[in-house]
Amino acid sequence: MASSSSCRAWHCLLALFLLSSSAYGQLSPSFYAKTCPTLELIVRSTVTKAVLVERRMGASLLRLHFHDCFVQGCDGSILLDDKGSFVGEKTALPNVNSVRGFEVIDEIKKNVELVCPGVVSCADIIALAARDGVVLLGGPSWPVPLGQRDSTTASLNAANSDIPTPDYKLDQLIAAFNKHQLSPRDMTALSGAHTIGYSQCLNFRDHIYNGTNIDPAFATLRKRTCPAQAPNGDTNLAPFDVQTPLVFDIAYYSNLVTKRGLLNSDQELFNGGSQDALVSQYATNPALFPSDFVTAIIKMSKLSPPPGTPTQIRRNCRVVNS
Ligand code: HEM
Ligand SMILES: *[C@@H]1O[C@H](CO)[C@@H](O)[C@H](O)[C@H]1NC(C)=O
């Protein structure tokens, strides 16, 4: 590096610019092309194995990426275990007894460390695993912006306040995504992730018993395995999408149009408000949703911790390097 005496005029500025841009930003799908060329193959084969064992895992990995990126940016903070005085995000209300896939991330990280030790962040592994989960369940593919780094901190408070909950109204949903520079359209497209996966009864009980914007036959169907009195049946699962629970298709949106959204927050997207027209378009034009979803998730994957946040490449995704 140039010493201060030889650091003159624009050469010096250029050097500083290059240095800082390698520390922040500059995310690129080819970030590991030289340092870990087999990364994407390793992730794909490990996720494929996991999805063959349990197809739902494709959905769970997608959700893991969402819950990572909405707290401090996509920084692997959700993976940190509570240990001693360290408090992570795993006990936050939206995560506890709910977020899944940690063992799959561990397995990928183990396999990646064998060939490219100390190079690939846990945050990037989640983003690639989420993409592969979607592809394996029949959804679109996209180039994942890589080069995110792992935080040395986590935020239980932000996990509790920034991850939207199923009782949110449309304006709250829009605000929660806007906080992360995601538009209402991005929000409505990303919510289409609920075309795959399951919810526990405790998250949709209020909607099926007290909701006003719900198809009565659908409510009756869901009540069969979700009793009114908590905590009875709290953890019983129902698919978001009645027809094709583990296929990444547009059924989520056609269900909203017929008032068969599972969560109150799902049905909020088609409830006489600003997103109705877009939901109708997604429900009828099969190419529009995948295309908007890809645009929005690439934006989400680029959310980073604020500049200056200490980061590292964690060796074990569950603990900060000592
Ligand atoms: C718009 C606000 C959102 C709310 C209120 C919300 C809420 C929820 C809830 C309550 C569950 C069920 C959890 C359980 O019962 O254990 C769930 C599951 C899921 N969420 Fe969301 N979510 C939202 C947006 C998103 C986004 C943006 C994504 C991804 C891009 C996503 C992906 C998923 C997936 C794939 C599942 C199923 C996971 C599985 O079966 O393991 N969600 N969500
Ligand atoms: C329905 O709403 C009432 C009034 O807010 C509440 O007391 C009750 O627990 C709700 N029922 C269910 C099943 O969520």
Side-chain angles (χ1 to χ4, degrees), residues 68 72 80 94 112 124 183 247 262 267 281:
D68 183 31
Q72 307 188 155
L80 292 168
V112 169
D124 284 341
S183 68
V247 179
L262 185 59
Q267 199 57 58
Q281 284 181 55

Side-chain angles (χ1 to χ4, degrees), residues 56 59-60 63 66 98 165 191 193-194 197-200 203 240 265:
R56 182 186 173 197
S60 304
R63 185 167 187 238
F66 168 51
S98 179
T165 55
S191 298
H194 290 177
Y198 294 80
S199 173
Q200 303 176 68
N203 286 313
F240 276 106
S265 52

Side-chain angles (χ1 to χ4, degrees), residues 48-59:
T48 302
K49 221 173 59 178
V51 167
L52 281 173
V53 172
E54 187 204 18
R55 199 169 158 85
R56 182 186 173 197
M57 190 50 72

Side-chain angles (χ1 to χ4, degrees), residues 205-206 209-210 228:
R205 178 183 283 125
D206 192 46
Y209 284 97
N210 281 334

Side-chain angles (χ1 to χ4, degrees), residues 204-211 226-230:
F204 59 81
R205 178 183 283 125
D206 192 46
H207 182 53
I208 62 173
Y209 284 97
N210 281 334
C226 183
Q229 258 331 303

